[in-house]
Amino acid sequence: MTLSVTKVSAPAKRFLATLLPLALLATSFPLAAQPNDVADALPLEEIQTFAEVFERIKRGYVEEVDDRTLLRNAMRGMLSELDPHSAYLDEDEYQSLRESTQGEFGGIGIEVGTQNGQLMIVTPIDDTPASRAGLLSQDIIIAIDGTPTDSLSLQEAVNLMRGDPGTSLRLTILRSGEESPREFTLTREVIRSESVKHETLEPGYGYLRISQFQSRTPEQARSALEDMTREQPLEGLILDLRNNPGGVLQAAVGVADLFLDEGLIVYTEGRLSDTEMSFSASPDTPARDVPLVVLINSGSASAAEIVAGALQDQRRGVIMGTESFGKGSVQQIMPLGNGEGLKLTTALYYTPNGRSIQAQGIEPDVDVVRGRLEVAEGRREIREADLDGHLSSQRELPPERAAMSQRLRDDYQLSEALNLLKALNVVDRRRG
C-alpha cells in the first residue's frame, strides 16, 4: 500500500488559522471532569486533517457547498456518532422539540429511534393516528412518503412525519416475521397526549394506564387513584406502562412515589457534578399497601423503566409482560446563543439496586407474551346460551361491564395481570 502526503493548500491554511485560536481558547475553559492537560489538549494534527478535508470538499465536490452548511453537517456528525439520542438541533428542530415536550404538536403520534441504522418505532402513543392504524413497537419504517429512511437522520425523519393537521402521510413499514413491507396512510392530527387514564376492571380492582411521563402525570395519577378508591378500597391495581416511551425524569419519580413510602427510587451518574442526582420516596403515599402488578413490554422505555425498576427492586409489585426497551440514559436540551440547541446525553440512570438499564432493559418477574385467547376453528365448546330455546338470564351485564369483559378477552396480558392480583389476594386471605 502506498501512502501519499498532500500539502495543505492556501484556503485550508486560512481555515486552519481560524480554527487553531478557537482550539486554544477551548482548552482554556475549565471542565468539571478534566483528568489532565495532556489528555484534554485538542489534537492539532486531527484539526489540520479536518481543515484539509474541509478545503477538498470546497474545491472538488460536484456541487458548490457553502461554509455554513459544511460546518453544520460537521457538528451534526460529531453529535450523531456519540449515541442514537444526542443531536445538533437547528432553529426549527429546536422549536419542534420544545413543542413536543409541551405535549401538543401536529403529527401521527409515534416515538421513533434507530437500531442497526434503521428507523424503528419505539412505541405508538395512545389514541393517535399511529395507534389506531395498528402500527406496532419495533416496526421498521423503510420509507416516508416514498423517501427511503436510510438516507435520513433521525431528526430529518421526525421532521418529515410532522406537519399540519389534516394532511396525509404514507409510511412503508417492515414488520418482524413478514417478508413483504406494508403501507399505511395516516392523517396527521394535533397530538394532545393525555398521559393518564383509569377505570375499574371489576369491583375492587383498578386499572391505571400511563402512556408517557409529562410534568403533570404524578398529579393526574394521584387523582385517578383517589377516584378509584372513592367508593371502596382497592384490592388490587394494574399499572400499565406498555408502549410508554418515557418522558420527564421527575414525573417518573413522582409516580413511583405514589406506591413507595421510603427508600431510593433512582439515581443518575455523569461526568459533570450537576448530572449526579438521587431521588428517594416520601412518606406521603396514597397507594402504599395496594397489591400491584406492573405491565411492561418492549415499548416501555426510559422513564417507564425507572418506575418499573424501582418497584421491582423495592419488591413493591410484580412486573409482568416482556422485557423492556433498555434506554437508561438522560438527555439535556442545551440552548445555543444563535437560537439553536444541542440534545446531549449527559448521564446514565440506575435502579435502587445499582442496575443500569442502558441496553439491558427490565426483565419481568412473570413473562407473558401479548396475545389473544382463541378457540381453534371447529373446536368451539357448546354452552347453555348456544342451545335452542334456552332460558334467558333475568339480569344482563351493564354495557360498561360487557365492554370491559370484551377488553379482557382481547388483551391477554391484562387478563393475566387481573388473574394474578386475584390469586395474590386469595393467598393473603388464607395466610391471614
Side-chain angles (χ1 to χ4, degrees):
M1 180 180 294
T2 303
L3 297 178
S4 61
V5 179
T6 305
K7 292 184 178 180
V8 180
S9 65
K13 286 182 178 178
R14 288 195 297 271
F15 180 72
L16 185 59
T18 304
L19 200 60
L20 287 177
L22 295 177
L24 295 173
L25 180 62
T27 59
S28 68
F29 284 100
L31 296 175
Q34 188 165 325
N36 55 66
D37 292 339
V38 175
D40 284 344
L42 291 179
L44 300 185
E45 184 177 345
E46 279 73 14
I47 293 176
Q48 181 174 335
T49 303
F50 178 83
E52 182 179 355
V53 171
F54 185 93
E55 188 269 339
R56 284 177 178 251
I57 295 173
K58 286 284 292 180
R59 274 194 171 192
Y61 186 62
V62 65
E63 295 177 353
E64 187 174 345
V65 187
D66 62 85
D67 293 350
R68 178 185 173 93
T69 299
L70 283 176
L71 290 172
R72 294 274 182 111
N73 290 343
M75 289 186 285
R76 288 184 188 279
M78 183 164 52
L79 283 149
S80 65
E81 288 297 315
L82 295 175
D83 63 76
H85 308 290
S86 295
Y88 179 84
L89 308 172
D90 65 24
E91 193 168 353
D92 290 339
E93 292 165 344
Y94 182 56
Q95 183 62 31
S96 176
L97 184 61
R98 291 185 61 188
E99 289 174 359
S100 67
T101 57
Q102 292 168 358
E104 182 172 318
F105 53 90
I108 59 172
I110 55 174
E111 179 83 8
V112 293
T114 55
Q115 185 179 62
N116 300 323
Q118 296 179 306
L119 184 66
M120 183 189 68
I121 296 177
V122 174
T123 182
I125 300 173
D126 288 354
D127 296 328
T128 62
S131 63
R132 292 194 293 269
L135 294 177
L136 302 178
S137 173
Q138 298 189 345
D139 280 350
I140 302 297
I141 303 175
I142 60 178
I144 302 171
D145 282 335
T147 301
T149 57
D150 55 4
S151 62
L152 302 174
S153 69
L154 179 61
Q155 193 59 49
E156 286 171 338
V158 170
N159 291 343
L160 280 180
M161 289 186 286
R162 287 189 178 172
D164 295 332
T167 58
S168 63
L169 175 70
R170 180 167 50 90
L171 297 182
T172 307
I173 298 293
L174 186 60
R175 183 163 293 172
S176 176
E178 298 181 359
E179 296 182 358
S180 301
R182 300 184 180 200
E183 292 231 339
F184 292 82
T185 300
L186 306 96
T187 302
R188 295 181 179 92
E189 296 179 359
V190 175
I191 306 299
R192 297 186 183 94
S193 48
E194 294 294 333
S195 63
V196 177
K197 295 181 180 179
H198 72 281
E199 53 192 300
T200 300
L201 298 175
E202 293 184 6
Y205 292 93
Y207 173 76
L208 182 63
R209 165 67 181 162
I210 299 180
S211 60
Q212 57 184 313
F213 288 91
Q214 301 171 343
S215 57
R216 295 186 61 244
T217 298
E219 175 189 341
Q220 293 170 345
R222 178 183 288 269
S223 177
L225 288 170
E226 293 172 351
D227 187 51
M228 285 188 285
T229 57
R230 189 166 287 116
E231 294 185 1
Q232 68 178 90
L234 285 174
E235 297 181 42
L237 178 70
I238 298 171
L239 175 60
D240 190 352
L241 300 180
R242 292 173 297 178
N243 294 327
N244 182 319
V248 180
L249 171 66
Q250 287 79 1
V253 171
V255 168
D257 197 16
L258 297 176
F259 305 99
L260 298 169
D261 57 3
E262 63 177 356
L264 191 62
I265 293 175
V266 66
Y267 66 94
T268 65
E269 290 184 351
R271 294 176 59 213
L272 301 178
S273 59
D274 63 352
T275 61
E276 295 189 355
M277 298 178 288
S278 178
F279 300 90
S280 297
S282 65
D284 182 18
T285 307
R288 177 186 297 114
D289 301 319
V290 177
L292 182 65
V293 171
V294 183
L295 287 175
I296 63 172
N297 64 4
S298 61
S300 306
S302 191
E305 295 172 295
I306 288 177
V307 175
L311 296 176
Q312 188 177 53
D313 282 5
Q314 298 281 19
R315 299 180 182 275
R316 175 59 186 85
V318 178
I319 312 300
M320 176 181 280
T322 57
E323 188 175 350
S324 65
F325 184 75
K327 180 184 178 296
S329 59
V330 180
Q331 283 72 44
Q332 288 188 9
I333 309 302
M334 303 177 177
L336 300 176
N338 59 356
E340 300 176 347
L342 300 181
K343 183 172 71 167
L344 186 66
T345 299
T346 56
L348 297 178
Y349 66 75
Y350 298 84
T351 70
N353 289 347
R355 292 184 293 159
S356 173
I357 306 303
Q358 181 60 29
Q360 301 293 325
I362 297 290
E363 293 187 8
D365 302 309
V366 181
D367 286 303
V368 180
V369 178
R370 189 180 183 98
R372 177 174 177 171
L373 289 176
E374 295 180 349
V375 179
E377 187 176 353
R379 295 182 55 192
R380 184 176 183 274
E381 296 178 359
I382 303 298
R383 303 178 66 239
E384 172 72 14
D386 298 314
L387 301 177
D388 291 337
H390 67 271
L391 296 175
S392 298
S393 171
Q394 298 301 310
R395 299 176 60 187
E396 295 184 356
L397 282 175
E400 62 273 12
R401 287 291 304 280
M404 181 53 63
S405 298
Q406 181 62 44
R407 178 173 177 177
L408 290 172
R409 284 195 294 270
D410 290 342
D411 192 337
Y412 180 59
Q413 289 175 326
L414 181 61
S415 176
E416 286 299 288
L418 181 59
N419 289 337
L420 178 58
L421 282 175
K422 292 178 178 179
L424 291 174
N425 280 326
V426 169
V427 171
D428 285 345
R429 284 195 293 268
R430 288 182 175 179
R431 286 177 178 172

